[in-house]
Amino acid sequence: MGLVFGAAGSAWLVLLVMSFFSGDKSAHRPLGAIACDLVAVGLLVAVAQLLSRYSGASEEDQAWRLILSGVALIAGFALVTQSLGVLGAWVSRPWSGASDLAFSVGCALACAPVYRGLVHWNRIRPGSTDPGEALNGLGAFFVAVAFGNLLLPWSPHPLSGLREWQEQASLATGAAIVILFGTAMTVTAVGGLLRDPRIWIVTAAIGAVCAGQVAALLAEQATRPPSAALWLFMATVLTSCTLIAPGAGNLQALNHQATVVGAMVVMVGGVTVVIANAALVHDQRRLTPCFAAAGLLVVSLRMVKVVQDVAQIRREAMTDDLTGLPNRRALLSAIEDALLAESSASLLIVDLERFKMINDRYGHATGDLLLQDMARTLAADLPEGALLARLGGDEFAVLLTDIDIDEALEVANTLTHKAIPLECGDGYLVYVKSNIGVATINSAEADSAEADSGELLRRADTALDQAKTAGTRVCEYDRALDAAKHERLSLIEDLRSALEGFPGQDEQIVVYYQPQILAATGVVVGVEALVRWAHPRRGILAPDAFIDLAEQNGLMASLTARVMRQAAIHAVGWRAAGHRLRLSVNLSATCLNDPDLPSLIDEVLGQGLDAGDLVLEVTETSLMTDAEQSLAALKRLAERGVGISIDDYGTGYSSLSYLNDLPATELKIDRSFTSRIVRDPRTAAIVAGTVELAHRLGIRIVAEGIEDEETLTAMRELGCDETQGYFHSRPLPDTLFLHWLQAREDASDSHTPAQFAINS
């Protein structure tokens, strides 16, 4: 490739020298033509090789194929016409006029693929060049030629001889290069290619040819052919740009706005030329209105195509591709129309059951067939005037107007009892049913501020969630349930904010403590840390109000870490005050298997808490979530020296089997057993057996839910090691718990603890 460009460059230098330093240029015309031929041959060889390089489907490849095609046309016409000029000089035939005319036409034609290449250069998708761009360019070309015929003093009787043909050809070439130069500047400015050096070089080369061509026309040398040297120079520069690395660019997506603006400019220009030509009554140009009319016709075709494209885009924007039904956008527009007419609007959202399972088992093609069958089935059972739309995924929507909620529910019940038979690839028939949520905005609500398409869609979606949760298949929107759902979502966000702990925000997550007391002596030996949420509007919230929310929304790890850090600080403070107590903290299943838990334990122990004074409580239910992984996690924690407590023992399903493998140091008898132990001998027998089993395994027994002295006595007689419950104390915040502890130690009878009437 370098040799090709070297040969073309050498020939180009010869051409320049002969053009600018020869005295009698007519005498040297054959030699100049030979030099042009050498440049043209070099360009044709280079283009042939480069086209094989740009054979891909990328935007760059397509753009440069078009530009190089224009280069090939210039070189080809130059080779043929200059050769004819040399031959005419040798045989003394007057062929120069015809060859000049041919070269002018060839240059004008060569501008077309270069124009398309420039337009395509700033498009983002392969093969996405808008045909309307070509129509704009052609229309602008005709109007420019008409404008030239209007301004320049052409012969009043065109097409009467070779001279007149040369005039029109030169004018066409000038119009083509002016449009090409304008396109190059536009692409550079708005095409996102300002940092690409190639576009600047291309624009400069085209601008040089444009300046030379326009200068020749303004000098009233309309019959002078385009300068072969100048056009071949432009072709060489365009070809040489393929050797330059592309710069950073931001390729632009197609839009109709630019082409419409261009079409309007051409249309205004064409009309102006026609009016101006009509005003020149004394010297009208016959070709001016012809070219102007041609330009207006081409631009009119472009505008017609724009209208068609916009209509097609609108249809596609309002239609679901898979089912051919109206889509979400069309549905929302129809709802708004109904509400503007102050009509009642009922919306049914239909959701298919087991759709994900069918997609996963039989593939998306089968799922698509199911959706198409569902669309046909729903459409067949709808009343007249109903609008069926697909919202996306496996959800459809039905809009009913001017009916009440009872009629809407009747339609929903009809639809939900339709089972769609789907023949799957393994020969089985799968019957798919649906869940439907129903919501209505009546005519009285239609003009209210909250009545809009989004609100109706939200209500129907809320009803659909309730239908799935309750298993009723059809559910009407319930404002009270919606308010509860909204409150739940609000509570989740409040909890997230409380856990993030923004600077300047009061601490909302607080820890309360309930003592654990030796059953035999009444000595306080430990506490259980219990979380509370000091909500800014609702006051102190117990765990039941937010623990499930934290678990379901991925906040449990943050909540547990917050509780454990606070509790460790308090426990270390009590120890400094002379009260060394064992600290028990609850762990959920997600926290137990959290990879960050070991580092949290190390952080807590690093605050001054001994490993033996920390007990982690886990429930049997959490252990059953992932038994193998949970067991491994507990063993790793036990290796650190912390205690492991099985909370709510006896309420799970595999208690005995786990006891053999778990590194448990403590079992907590659930309050459901403790509350019945006095009046139910069978419960007492179960507890006695559990105590015996635990002691044989070297495990401590803690009884929860001690609420009276009779229960405390029974548990002590059964051999429980420690007790915990309201009889001793309700859960207390740090300061109050410390006061309670000091008051108890000051009491003369350690078996009759001081009671605090504090409800926390």
Side-chain angles (χ1 to χ4, degrees):
M1 183 62 67
L3 292 176
V4 173
F5 279 112
S10 299
W12 172 248
L13 289 176
V14 172
L15 177 59
L16 286 179
V17 170
M18 297 183 65
S19 298
F20 292 103
F21 295 100
S22 56
D24 185 2
K25 292 184 173 54
S26 62
H28 292 279
R29 178 179 174 90
L31 294 178
I34 292 174
C36 286
D37 288 344
L38 291 176
V39 175
V41 169
L43 287 172
L44 288 173
V45 174
V47 167
Q49 295 191 25
L50 289 171
L51 286 177
S52 63
R53 177 194 297 181
Y54 295 107
S55 58
S58 67
E59 305 85 0
E60 286 279 330
D61 287 357
Q62 296 191 46
W64 282 103
R65 280 203 301 270
L66 289 166
I67 293 174
L68 291 173
S69 297
V71 170
L73 284 175
I74 295 172
F77 275 97
L79 179 63
V80 172
T81 56
Q82 297 302 313
S83 298
L84 286 176
V86 173
L87 182 61
W90 285 347
V91 300
S92 300
R93 296 285 182 89
W95 291 348
S96 60
S99 64
D100 291 343
L101 175 61
F103 186 62
S104 297
V105 173
C107 290
L109 293 175
C111 289
V114 178
Y115 170 85
R116 293 295 300 275
L118 290 175
V119 170
H120 193 79
W121 200 345
N122 72 322
R123 296 307 190 197
I124 197 168
R125 292 171 293 164
S128 65
T129 303
D130 188 354
E133 296 281 7
L135 293 176
N136 276 358
L138 185 59
F141 168 76
F142 283 130
V143 171
V145 174
F147 189 72
N149 274 285
L150 178 66
L151 293 182
L152 300 181
W154 305 125
S155 170
H157 301 291
L159 306 182
S160 59
L162 182 61
R163 178 181 176 82
E164 285 72 26
W165 282 100
Q166 289 176 330
E167 290 176 349
Q168 295 302 316
S170 296
L171 186 58
T173 305
I177 196 63
V178 167
I179 293 170
L180 192 61
F181 179 62
T183 303
M185 290 194 299
T186 302
V187 169
T188 303
V190 303
L193 301 172
L194 293 175
R195 290 184 291 177
D196 193 333
R198 299 173 302 170
I199 192 65
W200 292 100
I201 297 172
V202 168
T203 303
I206 295 174
V209 177
C210 180
Q213 192 70 31
V214 172
L217 292 174
L218 294 177
E220 299 184 5
Q221 299 177 11
T223 58
R224 178 180 176 180
S227 170
L230 200 56
W231 280 80
L232 286 173
F233 166 76
M234 180 185 77
T236 303
V237 172
L238 294 182
T239 308
S240 301
C241 282
T242 59
L243 300 178
I244 302 175
N250 182 22
L251 299 180
Q252 303 299 304
L254 282 176
N255 65 82
H256 289 286
Q257 181 177 358
T259 55
V260 170
V261 170
M264 293 301 297
V265 170
V266 174
M267 186 172 290
V268 170
V271 172
T272 302
V273 169
V274 171
I275 295 174
N277 184 70
L280 300 175
V281 179
H282 62 284
D283 190 19
Q284 286 190 355
R285 274 69 171 175
R286 293 186 300 178
L287 285 180
T288 299
C290 295
F291 283 116
L296 291 173
L297 176 61
V298 172
V299 173
S300 297
L301 292 176
R302 169 61 187 145
M303 296 302 293
V304 170
K305 189 177 186 307
V306 168
V307 173
Q308 293 175 341
D309 289 346
V310 170
Q312 178 66 21
I313 291 173
R314 179 173 175 79
R315 284 193 298 271
E316 293 175 354
M318 305 292 278
T319 304
D320 175 59
D321 291 338
L322 179 63
T323 62
L325 295 175
N327 59 14
R328 178 188 294 267
R329 187 179 292 106
L331 173 69
L332 295 177
S333 177
I335 295 174
E336 292 293 346
D337 291 342
L339 296 179
L340 287 175
E342 296 186 356
S343 301
S344 63
S346 296
L347 184 65
L348 285 60
I349 294 185
V350 184
D351 178 83
L352 298 184
E353 289 186 341
R354 301 185 297 164
F355 181 73
K356 185 179 185 305
M357 180 272 292
I358 291 172
N359 257 347
D360 294 343
R361 172 64 180 84
Y362 301 106
H364 288 275
T366 301
D368 290 346
L369 290 176
L370 174 60
L371 293 174
Q372 292 169 346
D373 288 344
M374 184 66 179
R376 288 189 290 269
T377 301
L378 292 176
D381 292 325
L382 291 178
E384 184 178 356
L387 173 66
L388 174 63
R390 182 186 174 208
L391 294 179
D394 62 337
E395 285 191 346
F396 294 83
V398 178
L399 177 63
L400 305 169
T401 55
D402 294 326
I403 65 172
D404 57 26
I405 185 62
D406 292 333
E407 294 173 304
L409 289 172
E410 184 178 349
V411 173
N413 283 308
T414 300
L415 296 179
T416 196
H417 285 94
K418 292 286 184 178
I420 310 297
L422 179 66
E423 184 175 351
C424 300
D426 52 11
Y428 291 98
L429 281 177
V430 177
Y431 289 89
V432 182
K433 291 189 176 182
S434 58
N435 296 297
I436 302 179
V438 184
T440 297
I441 292 181
N442 56 43
S443 55
E445 296 179 278
D447 59 349
S448 66
E450 68 171 10
D452 58 19
S453 56
E455 173 63 15
L456 182 58
L457 189 62
R458 188 194 65 80
R459 292 183 184 182
D461 194 54
T462 300
L464 176 63
D465 289 342
Q466 182 60 26
K468 292 179 180 179
T469 303
T472 57
R473 294 196 179 277
V474 175
C475 186
E476 175 188 356
Y477 170 74
D478 188 314
R479 190 177 294 273
L481 291 176
D482 188 21
K485 178 182 178 181
H486 179 76
E487 189 65 24
R488 180 182 177 86
L489 293 175
S490 176
L491 199 61
I492 291 171
E493 294 308 313
D494 289 346
L495 180 58
R496 196 183 306 276
S497 176
L499 289 173
E500 288 174 353
F502 295 118
Q505 177 178 296
D506 293 337
E507 180 64 57
Q508 297 181 22
I509 304 302
V510 294
V511 183
Y512 280 35
Y513 302 94
Q514 190 171 38
Q516 297 172 336
I517 298 174
L518 285 176
T521 64
V523 176
V524 180
V525 292
V527 294
E528 180 180 1
L530 301 170
V531 65
R532 297 292 187 268
W533 181 7
H535 195 278
R537 296 188 309 275
R538 301 184 180 188
I540 300 296
L541 297 181
D544 292 345
F546 60 90
I547 287 295
D548 287 344
L549 294 179
E551 189 75 53
Q552 295 165 9
N553 292 274
L555 301 175
M556 201 63 199
S558 298
L559 180 61
T560 301
R562 182 71 64 87
V563 171
M564 196 173 292
R565 291 187 181 108
Q566 284 192 41
I569 292 173
H570 292 156
V572 171
W574 302 333
R575 184 173 180 175
H579 307 288
R580 180 171 181 173
L581 301 176
R582 187 179 64 243
L583 176 65
S584 297
V585 181
N586 291 279
L587 285 184
S588 69
T590 54
C591 292
L592 180 60
N593 297 313
D594 185 358
D596 294 330
L597 179 61
S599 60
L600 175 63
I601 299 298
D602 292 340
E603 177 189 343
V604 168
L605 296 179
Q607 294 179 359
L609 189 67
D610 292 341
D613 291 337
L614 177 62
V615 176
L616 303 177
E617 296 188 9
V618 293
T619 64
E620 290 180 280
T621 304
S622 66
L623 294 174
M624 293 172 61
T625 302
D626 188 339
E628 185 176 350
Q629 187 173 350
S630 298
L631 179 60
L634 288 176
K635 288 181 177 179
R636 287 193 297 269
L637 292 173
E639 291 172 357
R640 280 176 158 78
V642 302
I644 304 298
S645 174
I646 309 302
D647 197 9
D648 300 336
Y649 181 79
T651 61
Y653 298 97
S654 304
S655 305
L656 293 178
S657 62
Y658 277 126
L659 283 180
N660 188 49
D661 298 321
L662 289 176
T665 57
E666 177 182 282
L667 292 183
K668 298 192 76 173
I669 302 296
D670 186 68
R671 66 182 65 251
S672 61
F673 290 94
T674 306
S675 62
R676 302 197 307 267
I677 194 171
V678 174
R679 64 180 184 275
D680 186 359
R682 294 173 64 88
T683 300
I686 292 173
V687 172
T690 301
V691 171
E692 176 70 16
L693 176 63
H695 286 168
R696 284 180 176 272
L697 295 174
I699 298 176
R700 180 175 61 249
I701 288 289
V702 178
E704 294 182 300
I706 304 298
E707 298 189 0
D708 53 58
E709 188 170 1
E710 189 177 8
T711 303
L712 174 62
T713 301
M715 282 298 183
R716 185 186 301 122
E717 292 174 352
L718 289 174
C720 285
D721 300 298
E722 299 174 12
T723 58
Q724 173 183 343
Y726 282 8
F727 179 70
H728 301 305
S729 172
R730 290 179 176 273
L732 300 172
D734 171 45
T735 304
L736 290 180
F737 172 75
L738 190 57
H739 290 165
W740 176 90
L741 185 60
Q742 292 172 343
R744 182 180 179 85
E745 291 180 349
D746 293 339
S748 58
D749 185 0
S750 62
H751 294 287
T752 309
Q755 302 297 314
F756 279 66
I758 300 176
N759 296 320
S760 300

